[in-house]
Amino acid sequence: MNQSTQIQMPVVEPELVEIPGTGLRVSRVALGTWAMGGWMWGGTDQRDAVATIRAALRQGINLIDTAPVYGFGVSEEIVGTALAGMRKQAVITTKTGLEWRDGKIYRNASRARILQEVDDSLRRLRTDYIDIYLVHWPDPLVPVEETAEAMRSLYEQGKIRAIGVSNFSVVQASRFRSVAPVHVLEPPYNLFERAIESQILPYCRANDIVTFGYGALCRGLLSGRMRPDTTFEGDDLRRVDPKFQAPRFAQYLEAVRQLDELAQRRFHRHVIHLAVRWMLDQGISAALWGARHPDQLEASHGVSDWALDVADRNEIDRILKATVINPVGPEFMAPPDRSQSKGSEEVTT
Ligand SMILES: NC(=O)c1ccc[n+]([C@@H]2O[C@H](COP(=O)([O-])OP(=O)(O)OC[C@H]3O[C@@H](n4cnc5c(N)ncnc54)[C@H](OP(=O)(O)O)[C@@H]3O)[C@@H](O)[C@H]2O)c1
């Protein structure tokens, strides 16, 4: 049973945010579709995935985040299938700048790769424009300016309606912006992964860049579903995610237990609602919530129409400090550059 079925939430209008300079308005709770691709999530059920996207739209969640690498095309195809006949209801974010060989991924944000990938994505998504196109990871083997120039040319052609970068530092984003606009920056962000608070968030705020925080539930850890004996199947990344390994896993679970207790006592909510409300109140523009079953999004009703005050946020910080003694970030997910691939002799910069 997921937590949305334990506490009945009133249905409220979703919060929206405008993306300056684009005319786009997106829901502050967004649907992430990585798990729908199956790869690194122990497989996919495509029928459930399509139903999840349609359920999101019915709930007023219009921002759908995907990427070619999520299932090596599968996630984008699922998004295309789900949106057939309803394209205009959705704001699609997809990405570029990763390639894959033999099930392994490498960074490639060269001009040639980007120009090839955009057409593959348009075909899989069954559309003739991408609302928001992001560079998935910075590529140390390609000058940022080359990547930015390729993105700008797609923007000028009208194939993409907004430009974004993901996993970029402030220095990388600044160099990129000397060549092309950046409307959106997509970093990791959740209660357990807060590195962006020192530099990225202030930089984006100061420069009118909208932020999409990914991993809102810390790969399900903040859903409240995890137990000490929870296991994962197949290639599910949580089998290697350092947060899910003993003895650290117990620390995170204790944090979740105390956060859930706080959410129930103060707000008659659960940790899943608190986690996403906290992100939004911290000033992130939209929270990317990964889901692959339609009922997983019902809990998003419990996120709107309330706010955390300073005392609540201090109490959350106190809980995190007291429980998570050995914190670890999301760095294990960073893909290698092409110098580490067998085909590295083909790399051109
Ligand atoms: N730009 C980037 O580099 C980057 C990197 C990572 C992610 N992202 C984006 O951000 C999105 C969100 O991140 P994420 O998918 O990694 O993780 P997440 O949102 O932190 O967690 C997603 C997982 O939480 C579980 N969950 C969701 N709703 C639930 C509910 N109501 N009850 C219980 N469990 C629930 C599901 O796991 P189970 O299905 O196993 O139960 C789901 O797959 C991705 O889908 C992707 O679009 C972007």
Side-chain angles (χ1 to χ4, degrees):
M1 180 162 56
N2 78 43
Q3 295 197 333
S4 60
T5 52
Q6 294 167 22
I7 293 179
Q8 282 303 314
M9 293 298 156
V11 176
V12 288
E13 287 298 308
E15 295 166 50
L16 299 170
V17 66
E18 284 188 20
I19 305 182
T22 68
L24 294 170
R25 255 179 126 214
V26 299
S27 52
R28 294 193 71 199
V29 172
L31 172 61
T33 66
W34 181 11
M36 291 180 189
W39 168 74
M40 291 184 82
W41 288 86
T44 180
D45 178 330
Q46 300 204 11
R47 207 181 282 192
D48 254 17
V50 167
T52 304
I53 294 167
R54 292 185 179 154
L57 291 179
R58 280 196 300 277
Q59 280 181 228
I61 295 172
N62 72 343
L63 179 58
I64 315 286
D65 183 88
T66 184
V69 78
Y70 298 164
F72 310 125
V74 170
S75 172
E76 285 191 330
E77 281 167 3
I78 288 170
V79 172
T81 303
L83 296 182
M86 298 188 276
R87 171 68 182 92
K88 289 207 171 116
Q89 288 184 39
V91 176
I92 300 177
T93 298
T94 194
K95 313 188 186 82
T96 184
L98 293 178
E99 62 179 33
W100 53 90
R101 256 172 283 144
D102 305 325
K104 293 202 179 77
I105 60 170
Y106 303 98
R107 305 184 193 207
N108 184 350
S110 64
R111 177 181 171 79
R113 175 75 191 167
I114 291 170
L115 298 188
Q116 175 204 321
E117 275 201 285
V118 70
D119 290 328
D120 291 343
S121 288
L122 288 168
R123 179 177 39 77
R124 288 189 289 251
L125 290 164
R126 305 190 197 180
T127 185
D128 54 6
Y129 66 95
I130 291 164
D131 297 287
I132 306 168
Y133 203 41
L134 308 183
V135 181
H136 207 149
W137 283 84
D139 181 347
L141 301 181
V142 174
V144 175
E145 292 77 8
E146 174 184 328
T147 304
E149 197 279 323
M151 295 293 279
R152 195 184 66 192
S153 68
L154 296 178
Y155 182 62
E156 286 168 355
Q157 286 168 42
K159 284 188 176 179
I160 67 175
R161 304 223 160 142
I163 298 177
V165 293
S166 184
N167 303 298
F168 272 48
S169 68
V170 165
V171 171
Q172 289 160 339
S174 301
R175 275 179 64 188
F176 190 104
R177 290 176 65 233
S178 68
V179 177
V182 170
H183 303 104
V184 172
L185 196 144
E186 185 173 303
Y189 194 52
N190 60 58
L191 270 166
F192 294 144
E193 295 170 342
R194 299 174 55 173
I196 63 166
E197 287 174 5
S198 55
Q199 293 189 10
I200 296 278
L201 272 184
Y203 173 79
C204 290
R205 248 182 240 128
N207 290 287
D208 260 356
I209 299 171
V210 156
T211 44
F212 296 167
Y214 73 70
L217 302 180
C218 203
R219 299 169 290 290
L221 200 46
L222 286 160
S223 71
R225 176 177 84 79
M226 301 301 160
R227 299 289 171 262
D229 59 355
T230 301
T231 54
F232 303 99
E233 300 301 318
D235 70 345
D236 196 308
L237 79 164
R238 292 168 293 189
R239 293 176 78 176
V240 295
D241 186 330
K243 287 195 183 64
F244 288 73
Q245 313 307 316
R248 211 184 247 128
F249 190 36
Q251 297 176 14
Y252 283 103
L253 288 181
E254 178 56 17
V256 170
R257 191 191 68 73
Q258 293 191 26
L259 292 168
D260 191 54
E261 194 273 326
L262 171 73
Q264 292 194 51
R265 177 167 43 83
R266 283 276 295 125
F267 305 107
H268 196 53
R269 297 288 201 285
H270 273 301
V271 61
I272 193 168
H273 312 115
L274 181 86
V276 180
R277 184 71 258 158
W278 174 88
M279 270 177 88
L280 300 178
D281 288 356
Q282 289 288 106
I284 202 93
S285 312
L288 296 187
W289 178 322
R292 47 180 162 178
H293 306 294
D295 67 336
Q296 288 178 327
L297 286 170
E298 283 169 23
S300 71
H301 290 304
V303 169
S304 294
D305 257 9
W306 60 289
L308 296 158
D309 65 21
V310 175
D312 299 322
R313 286 205 291 274
N314 289 342
E315 175 63 2
I316 287 170
D317 289 346
R318 189 201 61 74
I319 290 173
L320 295 176
K321 208 165 163 208
T323 53
V324 185
I325 314 299
N326 307 110
V328 61
E331 295 77 18
F332 79 102
M333 294 195 290
D337 66 56
R338 281 165 292 150
S339 65
Q340 294 173 54
S341 93
K342 269 202 201 143
S344 60
E345 63 278 6
E346 292 158 18
V347 172
T348 52
T349 57

